[in-house]
Amino acid sequence: MTKKVMLINATDSEEIRVATLVDGVLSDFDIEFVHNEKIKGNIYKARVIRVDSSLQAAFIHYGGQKNGFLPIGELPRDLVSGDGRRGRIQDLLNKDQEIMVQAVREELGTKGAMMTAQISLPGRYLVLTPGNPLNGISRKIESREEREYFKRLIDELDIPKNFGVIVRTASLGVTKEDFQRDLEFLLDTYKEVQSRYKHRQGPGLAWQEDDVVTRTLRDGFTSDMEEVYVDDVETFHAAQSFFKRTMPQHQQVVKHYIGKKPLFSKYQTDEQIDRIYARKVSLPSGGALVLDQTEALVAVDVNSGKTSGEGVEDMAFKANMEAAEEVARQLRLRDLAGLIVIDFIDMKRETHNKAVMERLVDCLKEDKARMEVGKINRFGVLVMTRQRLRPSLQHVTHESCPTCQGTGQVKSIEALVLSVVRRLKSMLSRDGVSEVRVKLAPSVAMAVLNQKRKDLADIEEAHDTRILIVADPEVGYGEMSAEIERRDEDVSEKPAPTRPERTHDTEEDTVVLGGDTPISFDKALGQEPKRIQPPADAEIKYDRRDAQRAALDERERLRALFESAKPEELLLATAGETEGEDIAAPAPTAAKARNTRRGRPSKVKESLEPVAPIPARRVPVVEAFEPEPPAAPPVFNPSLVADLALPVRRPKLTAAPAVIPEVAPAEPKASRAKGKVKASAVPKVDALELAKLPKPTAKKKPVAAPVEAPAKAAKPVKRKPTKS
């Protein structure tokens, strides 16, 4: 005796799975995702978009992504003419007309959903057909006695006017009370549908079909099923309520599974489900089935494989008989529909062909879909059709491969390399291309660079362009992305290079020597070097650090020049002084004097020790002398840079400064009053010594170095005598 068990897995919130096992073998399987709910059986309020007279059909908008297809044969009876003829669809429907429709086929590929205006509401035992008062009995009920019995029950039911019912296969063994209870539930459901349809504004859903659990229990449960296991608490309570309302006598069959091991793993169902998606299905004797599905056709090839027998005919017959059983099971599990072509192994005996066809028909009786089965022709091919009940599992759980686009095959690497080179030649056939950047998959890019390196170089030389091959992991295998840059775009679109604006830096300021116009140190000393003009095509690079380093070196060099050119003492103060007067002590440094005049403290470091005063002495008159060699450059420090950066007023001199021999400075007689230094005397120079000094030329007038004015002598302070 066969054992039938139904397993309902609803622990995952994303999907619900329902499987039916017969003696442990998967017989039926259905799956539904939350994000991809089925629309078959849903009732919508739709609006007519276009009426096609050539197709005798209308395209309607019901709220889905694509418009639905409504042929004239699916219009309700209240829209047809009085004589029963439907006439033309353009006379029955108008644009923007609202109509109640029901989905009978899901959207598939580029095709929209198939719609019908003949509404039907399925129950457990009956199917209610509003607008169609004709009653009927399912074709699956073939017994004459049973059909007569159901006709008498239908006549005894209280069916409203303009309504009809159809007896379902699950009604075997039920009573009149079961029929009446199911009929009342369907009538209440239709009243709710009409209410939602009237109150809805615009196209959209008016009534939704039951979920996969209720739908499977309603359509797939039979009286010989022993157990129904549900692993989710909420789903278990929903199943109990459904059994209590429709089948109270079978309520004890529903059980809540609380085992530690997953429900499908306990019955080894996951392994059988994985084999459903395989392209190749093995047969018990060693043969195999190969199934290929397209949008409207399914091809099934039967291979003998390792099947053995007494002869070729016996081996073919044995493999075909096993294939007939497995084909019927796979069509039901995968829900393959449309035109189905089965290529059996060729058999010479007609009795064998007939036996295989009858075996297939017997196995297909368990399927609820409508089918038409042909005969095995002389080529060993059987053609049949099957109604689509729901989208196939392959369309629900799988999607087309982005690499092969669903074909299952891709180009070889050699073919892709040649294709890339041909496309590059086609792109460069137009003039004015300066650069082409091609993005390819890493494997394809490497093959192009390795195999076609010489060809790429020849193409670049022939078209005077540049080709860049870039390996991009985001580019799919077999795809190519190209960016073209033209020569005319280079000139017109590229902006002129602009020199970046430099920030102001006090260390790079030009020194001002007593005037308003800033000049350089070399120009002030008359030693400005000649500038070498760089070539026109030379590239000039600016580096801020190099410029700063050069400026600091230049200041250090100029400081040394100033120290060597500056007299040690103030020589020419007055022309009427006598020769034997004392020489005053040296004035404070330039930086200290400037700071004193501006009222700021001197920046000279306090760690330097002061020089001891040297007593003054008389300067003898010297007729000829050797100039003193230039002093060594001072050590560069921040104080020196600060002194050089400050502007200095240039004093007006009556005569050029003269260089004198080394003279010991006189002891300064400083007075504490106001911090002034007293100058004792300045040596007197006669006319003969002045005549020997070098005279400045007219062409190039030297610029005197900044010299500080001598400090005024402090007046003695008279003190009053104190009384002792």
Side-chain angles (χ1 to χ4, degrees):
M1 182 179 178
T2 60
K3 181 180 180 181
K4 297 181 68 175
V5 179
M6 180 178 290
L7 310 178
I8 300 177
N9 172 228
T11 55
D12 299 326
S13 59
E14 294 82 7
E15 67 177 8
I16 299 177
R17 299 186 299 173
V18 180
T20 303
L21 304 180
V22 179
D23 292 337
V25 180
L26 186 64
S27 175
D28 195 5
F29 178 71
D30 194 6
I31 184 173
E32 184 175 281
F33 288 90
V34 175
H35 66 276
N36 189 20
E37 295 182 353
K38 298 179 176 62
I39 68 170
K40 183 181 177 182
N42 295 348
I43 299 176
Y44 298 90
K45 184 177 185 179
R47 184 178 71 251
V48 178
I49 300 298
R50 180 169 60 90
V51 179
D52 196 329
S53 58
S54 60
L55 295 176
Q56 285 296 297
F59 294 93
I60 58 176
H61 174 58
Y62 64 96
Q65 297 180 356
K66 301 175 183 178
N67 293 333
F69 183 75
L70 178 63
I72 189 174
E74 298 295 336
L75 293 179
R77 293 181 177 271
D78 54 358
L79 289 180
V80 299
S81 56
D83 55 358
R85 298 180 181 180
R86 285 186 170 83
R88 300 181 304 175
I89 193 170
Q90 57 266 30
D91 299 333
L92 303 175
L93 295 179
N94 300 321
K95 186 178 180 181
D96 296 335
Q97 179 180 347
E98 292 184 349
I99 185 174
M100 182 186 294
V101 295
Q102 187 176 19
V104 295
R105 190 185 66 188
E106 305 280 345
E107 294 181 359
L108 181 62
T110 58
K111 297 180 179 179
M114 176 73 75
M115 295 292 179
T116 179
Q118 301 177 7
I119 307 300
S120 61
L121 297 177
R124 170 60 184 167
Y125 306 115
L126 300 174
V127 177
L128 183 66
T129 57
N132 187 4
L134 299 180
N135 299 327
I137 301 174
S138 174
R139 299 178 182 178
K140 298 290 183 178
I141 303 176
E142 300 178 352
S143 174
R144 185 174 181 180
E145 292 78 7
E146 291 179 352
R147 296 181 71 90
E148 293 292 337
Y149 171 75
F150 287 129
K151 285 182 180 180
R152 292 194 299 268
L153 287 180
I154 292 175
D155 295 338
E156 296 177 0
L157 294 177
D158 187 11
I159 302 175
K161 186 179 180 181
N162 203 24
F163 281 84
V165 293
I166 299 175
V167 179
R168 306 192 66 178
T169 310
S171 302
L172 296 175
V174 300
T175 61
K176 178 183 176 181
E177 289 75 13
D178 297 333
F179 275 155
Q180 188 65 37
R181 184 171 55 251
D182 199 15
L183 177 61
E184 292 176 358
F185 173 76
L186 294 176
L187 291 175
D188 294 340
T189 303
Y190 184 70
K191 290 180 181 179
E192 184 180 358
V193 171
Q194 284 185 321
S195 176
R196 293 183 181 181
Y197 178 82
K198 292 178 181 179
H199 291 85
R200 180 166 185 84
Q201 300 294 332
L205 181 65
W207 181 79
Q208 188 174 9
E209 174 71 304
D210 296 330
D211 58 4
V212 62
V213 176
T214 306
R215 188 171 61 247
T216 304
L217 293 175
R218 182 192 66 196
D219 301 338
F221 180 81
T222 56
S223 58
D224 57 346
M225 193 167 293
E226 298 180 3
E227 296 172 337
V228 176
Y229 289 105
V230 185
D231 58 1
D232 183 65
V233 178
E234 295 182 1
T235 308
F236 170 70
H237 293 321
Q240 272 190 331
S241 62
F242 174 78
F243 271 88
K244 186 176 181 180
R245 176 177 57 84
T246 58
M247 301 173 289
Q249 66 275 16
H250 300 290
Q251 188 175 355
Q252 71 279 1
V253 177
V254 184
K255 299 179 181 179
H256 182 211
Y257 178 77
I258 56 175
K260 295 183 179 180
K261 196 173 183 180
L263 179 61
F264 275 37
S265 299
K266 180 180 179 180
Y267 289 89
Q268 300 179 355
T269 310
D270 288 328
E271 294 79 1
Q272 301 186 51
I273 293 174
D274 293 339
R275 289 196 291 268
I276 294 177
Y277 305 112
R279 180 172 177 262
K280 188 175 182 179
V281 180
S282 301
L283 298 176
S285 299
L289 297 179
V290 180
L291 295 90
D292 291 318
Q293 181 181 1
T294 63
E295 189 171 346
L297 184 140
V298 178
V300 182
D301 185 21
V302 182
N303 296 328
S304 60
K306 299 180 181 180
T307 305
S308 59
E310 297 179 358
V312 177
E313 183 73 14
D314 185 63
M315 180 269 299
F317 177 71
K318 185 177 181 180
N320 288 337
M321 291 293 286
E322 295 178 353
E325 297 180 2
E326 189 63 27
V327 165
R329 177 172 171 267
Q330 292 296 327
L331 293 180
R332 183 174 61 255
L333 288 176
R334 306 187 185 205
D335 198 12
L336 301 176
L339 188 64
I340 302 171
V341 178
I342 307 173
D343 184 13
F344 289 103
I345 303 175
D346 293 340
M347 297 178 294
K348 297 181 179 180
R349 299 180 183 178
E350 187 64 26
T351 55
H352 288 173
N353 290 333
K354 187 176 181 181
V356 171
M357 185 186 67
E358 291 177 353
R359 185 67 171 269
L360 177 64
V361 173
D362 293 340
C363 295
L364 290 174
K365 289 182 179 180
E366 300 179 4
D367 201 339
K368 293 180 171 55
R370 294 193 300 266
M371 292 170 291
E372 294 183 4
V373 183
K375 296 182 179 181
I376 301 177
N377 57 19
R378 59 190 182 92
F379 301 107
V381 177
L382 183 143
V383 181
M384 61 172 292
T385 60
R386 183 179 181 274
Q387 178 192 11
R388 186 182 302 279
L389 296 178
R390 58 182 182 268
S392 62
L393 293 178
Q394 187 175 2
H395 288 92
V396 173
T397 59
H398 290 65
E399 61 183 7
S400 298
C401 174
T403 303
C404 67
Q405 301 299 326
T407 60
Q409 294 182 346
V410 294
K411 282 187 176 182
S412 62
I413 196 71
E414 292 80 5
L416 287 176
V417 169
L418 292 175
S419 176
V420 170
V421 175
R422 292 193 188 102
R423 293 185 65 179
L424 283 174
K425 292 180 180 178
S426 176
M427 293 177 187
L428 297 176
S429 61
R430 293 171 290 183
D431 298 334
V433 179
S434 63
E435 183 177 312
V436 179
R437 292 179 292 274
V438 181
K439 293 183 180 180
L440 300 169
S443 58
V444 181
M446 186 174 296
V448 171
L449 293 175
N450 291 336
Q451 301 177 13
K452 296 295 180 179
R453 184 179 298 274
K454 185 176 181 304
D455 295 344
L456 294 178
D458 296 342
I459 294 174
E460 289 181 340
E461 183 179 358
H463 296 277
D464 189 18
T465 186
R466 185 183 180 189
I467 300 175
L468 297 178
I469 305 297
V470 181
D472 191 352
E474 296 183 358
V475 178
Y477 181 85
E479 298 180 359
M480 174 180 173
S481 175
E483 298 179 2
I484 301 176
E485 185 175 347
R486 300 189 177 276
R487 294 189 180 91
D488 54 350
E489 297 176 357
D490 298 343
V491 180
S492 59
E493 294 184 1
K494 287 187 177 180
T498 57
R499 185 174 180 179
E501 184 179 356
R502 299 180 61 183
T503 58
H504 181 73
D505 193 352
T506 57
E507 296 184 359
E508 297 182 9
D509 291 344
T510 307
V511 177
V512 181
L513 297 178
D516 296 334
T517 306
I519 59 176
S520 64
F521 291 106
D522 291 337
K523 188 174 181 180
L525 297 176
Q527 301 177 2
E528 185 176 10
K530 296 181 180 180
R531 297 183 179 180
I532 302 175
Q533 297 292 337
D537 56 347
E539 183 179 1
I540 301 176
K541 296 183 178 179
Y542 299 93
D543 193 344
R544 181 179 179 85
R545 292 176 297 178
D546 295 342
Q548 292 177 352
R549 198 177 298 111
L552 295 178
D553 295 342
E554 184 67 14
R555 291 191 185 92
E556 185 177 353
R557 186 180 67 83
L558 293 176
R559 177 66 178 176
L561 292 176
F562 287 153
E563 292 293 337
S564 62
K566 186 173 63 175
E568 296 183 0
E569 305 292 340
L570 300 175
L571 301 178
L572 301 178
T574 56
E577 298 285 343
T578 60
E579 181 180 348
E581 290 182 343
D582 296 338
I583 300 174
T589 60
K592 187 171 182 179
R594 287 193 299 270
N595 293 334
T596 305
R597 289 195 303 269
R598 297 183 183 181
R600 295 182 299 178
S602 176
K603 293 185 180 179
V604 181
K605 293 185 178 179
E606 297 179 358
S607 62
L608 298 178
E609 297 180 359
V611 181
I614 301 175
R617 68 177 180 176
R618 297 185 180 276
V619 181
V621 178
V622 182
E623 297 181 355
F625 59 90
E626 294 293 333
E628 183 183 2
V635 180
F636 176 75
N637 52 51
S639 300
L640 183 59
V641 175
D643 294 341
L644 291 175
L646 294 174
V648 181
R649 292 186 179 181
R650 182 172 56 191
K652 296 182 180 180
L653 301 178
T654 57
V659 181
I660 63 175
E662 182 179 358
V663 179
E667 183 178 358
K669 297 180 180 180
S671 177
R672 295 182 179 181
K674 298 183 181 179
K676 296 183 179 179
V677 180
K678 179 179 179 182
S680 59
V682 178
K684 183 178 180 181
V685 183
D686 56 359
L688 180 60
E689 185 178 353
L690 290 174
K692 293 180 181 181
L693 294 177
K695 297 181 180 181
T697 58
K699 293 183 180 180
K700 188 174 183 180
K701 185 178 180 180
V703 180
V707 180
E708 294 292 339
K712 295 182 180 180
K715 295 182 180 180
V717 180
K718 294 182 180 182
R719 298 183 179 179
K720 296 180 180 181
T722 58
K723 295 181 180 181
S724 57

